[in-house]
Amino acid sequence: MDHDTPLSARPPRPLDTVRRRVLTTRQLREYGVGGAEAADRCRPGGPWQQLLPGVFLLHPGPPTGEERLHAALLYTAHRPQGVPSQSRRAGSAAGPGPYGEAMVTGLAALALRRFAAAPPLLSLDRIGVLVPRTRRLRSTGFVQVVRAVELPEPQEVTGVPVAPVPRALADAVTRLQEPVAVRRLLTEAG
């Protein structure tokens, strides 16, 4: 199999283009791509890259803001062992949707909601993802794991689970150092 060979003879699932370009190790296995082959494709000059532990970008070059967002959610999503990803539905044991209970928060959530005071998604160094307090995850790469005792009900924005504005705003301002930026966000939200 060379680098141009399709992942599988199975017809592609009806996913948007971002979701087809960012896959987890488990999803790659469903297509018949093992860990060694994925690692080989991620070598310098190869056609793929590993964005986060267990999350791959299936093209060379920098990821888009949407690809980084999808990768962050895939990294933080809780997947019970032995449950294939395509068989999960909303309300399953993994939680709502393909990302489990994980949802975008902080500046990334505000950027998705088109807050003028929030920087564009691509310019963010970190993407905040809200998860249950009991999850054993570490912040890594561009993902900032934010824990909560009780998770708010996520709201869908552009097909992505996003924390409600008050929670996203609270998570954003706790990490900002500039009073002017905090004031702009609070003014826009008010």
Side-chain angles (χ1 to χ4, degrees):
M1 179 185 280
D2 67 12
H3 295 299
D4 296 322
T5 305
L7 290 178
S8 171
R10 287 186 254 166
R13 288 183 266 160
L15 299 174
D16 63 8
T17 56
V18 170
R19 289 186 176 151
R20 282 182 281 183
R21 293 187 307 241
V22 180
L23 296 175
T24 65
T25 303
R26 179 178 298 204
Q27 291 169 321
L28 287 172
R29 270 186 298 213
E30 291 172 8
Y31 282 110
V33 178
E37 184 177 351
D40 183 52
R41 290 180 180 209
C42 290
R43 287 187 180 168
W48 294 0
Q49 54 191 302
Q50 186 169 3
L51 293 179
L52 296 164
V55 181
F56 297 86
L57 180 64
L58 304 186
H59 68 77
T64 66
E66 291 78 15
E67 288 168 340
R68 291 175 73 230
L69 189 67
H70 183 59
L73 285 166
L74 286 175
Y75 169 71
T76 57
H78 178 63
R79 307 252 193 288
Q81 294 299 318
V83 178
S85 62
Q86 69 258 31
S87 67
R88 281 189 302 279
R89 295 185 303 260
S92 71
Y99 305 117
E101 295 174 304
M103 66 186 83
V104 178
T105 191
L107 286 175
L110 298 175
L112 282 171
R113 292 180 184 277
R114 301 185 190 273
F115 267 55
L121 202 55
L122 193 54
S123 70
L124 294 175
D125 292 335
R126 307 283 271 183
I127 294 174
V129 182
L130 191 59
V131 299
R133 180 181 56 90
T134 56
R135 291 293 313 281
R136 296 182 76 177
L137 281 172
R138 289 185 181 196
S139 295
T140 186
F142 54 84
V143 177
Q144 176 67 49
V145 174
V146 180
R147 290 175 173 70
V149 174
E150 281 191 44
L151 293 177
E153 186 67 32
Q155 299 166 343
E156 192 170 301
V157 178
T158 67
V160 175
V162 177
V165 171
R167 176 63 201 229
L169 192 58
D171 291 333
V173 300
T174 60
R175 288 172 170 60
L176 289 175
Q177 307 263 322
E178 300 174 28
V180 173
V182 171
R183 189 174 20 254
R184 280 191 209 139
L185 285 172
L186 293 174
T187 301
E188 187 172 350

